[in-house]
Amino acid sequence: MRITIKLFATFRIGRFAEVTRDYPAGTRIADIIGELHIPEKEVGMIMLNNRHAEPDQELHDGDSLALFPLVGGG
Amino acid sequence: MADLDDFLRTHAAGDLLSWKWQVDAAKQFRTHLARVEEAALAMGILPARYQRNRQAISVKDQLKLFRSRVAVIGCGGLGGYVIEELARLGVGTIIAIDPDVFEEHNLNRQILSTPATLGRAKAEAAAVRVAEINPAVTLVPRQEAYTPENGEELLHGSQVIVDALDSIQTRLALAKTCTDLGIPMVHGAIGGWYGQVATQFPGDDTVQKLYRRWVEGKGVEQKLGNPSFTPALVASIEVAEACKIILGEGEPLHHRKLSVNLLEVVFVAVDMEHAPSGEPGRKRD
């Protein structure tokens, strides 16, 4: 299945801004976060097809996943 | 004070009152510049310093701003710019809350810091700056940390709370205090080239939703630091939000988070209304 991944802010550094890749059926959001070597505690927000999502959610063909890091400075 | 009103009417040029006459009126009637400003605005006379606020802000709106009270939590990177802009906008009372003193590593971005203010309290520096740029505005410096315990005393009576904190944990506590007090909170946070803004109205739990995945510690700012331009931009958006809330105009970032990336110039607004709720600060599996 084809999944589009969009990374925001620091997650782009050394990775990419947006990419579409093939993944086997049953792939979960957490699998992709792990594959990208993003520590899960750095993930502030996960959007799946513009809706908020959880790491354990399974992905489906054509899904668009967006990952935002935590920002907290002032 | 009918005499003051007469004085202002006599010395206004059209509907503008110059600074010179505002100062003269305060002296002559042995009153505060703030009192003169309110009297002028109430008669539809605009202190000339605000003439470029028009037509964005009418004389009536200017009076609303003058009669409003905004609390700024944090007088550092975001807070310095927020206070500067609120004072120039003409918000009548600003509560500036920060327990810290300026240190050398603040000088790259914190507008209230200068080599001369190193070691001085940030809240005091805010009072000095506002007295310089707009003496008709009252700035109340509070050199102490906001805590859930003193929150009500510090924030009671404010129309808007502006988040200029640098701690996620304190922000989450502040969001709860704002909810308890029924006061809108403008949230802003920065790190490196990145920032975010969202406005939480009483009854929303936007800030909690924003940080529901947070467990401990800081965000991207830990690694990236904070250059000068990101706080200035995010603070400006926060002040625009505060202004809209006070005036009841426009469309605030209600149920939305604006995510800002200045490195690649990407601005994205994310829906927060349908974001899941949850208690931040809990370890997950």
Side-chain angles (χ1 to χ4, degrees), chain A residues 28-43:
Chain A
R28 297 172 315 136
I29 292 172
D31 299 329
I32 291 183
I33 294 173
E35 180 202 57
L36 295 172
H37 302 290
I38 295 173
E40 212 175 291
K41 68 172 187 141
E42 288 183 14
V43 180

Side-chain angles (χ1 to χ4, degrees), chain B residues 68-102:
Chain B
S68 67
R69 181 184 177 99
V70 175
V72 183
I73 323 296
C75 304
L78 291 173
Y81 285 103
V82 168
I83 290 163
E84 175 88 13
E85 292 178 18
L86 288 173
R88 288 190 189 271
L89 186 61
V91 167
T93 307
I94 303 167
I95 319 294
I97 302 162
D98 198 310
D100 294 336
V101 298
F102 285 114

Side-chain angles (χ1 to χ4, degrees), chain A residues 8-10 12-13 40 42-47 52 54-55 68-74, chain B residues 77-78 165-166 171 189-190 194 211-213 219-221 223-224 264 268 270-271 275-276:
Chain A
F8 287 87
T10 39
R12 293 181 175 190
I13 298 168
E40 212 175 291
E42 288 183 14
V43 180
M45 198 167 280
I46 303 168
M47 303 293 288
H52 293 264
E54 301 292 337
F68 294 82
L70 279 170
V71 178
Chain B
L78 291 173
L165 287 159
D166 62 358
R171 254 188 201 106
I190 49 171
Y194 314 103
Y211 290 112
R212 63 181 286 275
R213 305 192 53 78
V220 297
E221 69 281 4
K223 281 185 200 159
L224 300 178
E264 285 139 333
V268 197
V270 175
D271 162 73

Side-chain angles (χ1 to χ4, degrees), chain A residues 41 70, chain B residues 168-169 213-219 280-283:
Chain A
K41 68 172 187 141
L70 279 170
Chain B
I168 295 173
Q169 189 168 16
R213 305 192 53 78
W214 172 81
V215 179
E216 59 185 347
K218 292 187 174 284
R282 297 247 170 97
K283 301 247 189 241

Side-chain angles (χ1 to χ4, degrees), chain A residues 3-74:
Chain A
I3 306 292
T4 298
I5 305 163
K6 295 177 185 171
L7 300 180
F8 287 87
T10 39
F11 290 163
R12 293 181 175 190
I13 298 168
R15 297 188 187 91
F16 52 83
E18 181 174 337
V19 81
T20 302
R21 288 178 180 164
D22 276 314
Y23 285 94
T27 301
R28 297 172 315 136
I29 292 172
D31 299 329
I32 291 183
I33 294 173
E35 180 202 57
L36 295 172
H37 302 290
I38 295 173
E40 212 175 291
K41 68 172 187 141
E42 288 183 14
V43 180
M45 198 167 280
I46 303 168
M47 303 293 288
L48 183 60
N49 305 323
N50 295 319
R51 291 176 175 222
H52 293 264
E54 301 292 337
D56 56 6
Q57 260 171 263
E58 252 185 48
L59 296 163
H60 299 281
D61 189 42
D63 275 352
S64 174
L65 174 69
L67 301 175
F68 294 82
L70 279 170
V71 178

Side-chain angles (χ1 to χ4, degrees), chain B residues 115-135:
Chain B
T117 60
L118 293 178
R120 297 225 192 115
K122 294 182 178 184
E124 271 315 318
V128 170
R129 176 69 182 161
V130 167
E132 246 171 36
I133 58 176
N134 194 352

Side-chain angles (χ1 to χ4, degrees), chain B residues 136-149:
Chain B
V137 165
T138 304
L139 187 131
V140 182
R142 300 291 300 258
Q143 196 193 342
E144 57 192 301
Y146 150 83
T147 66
E149 290 71 38

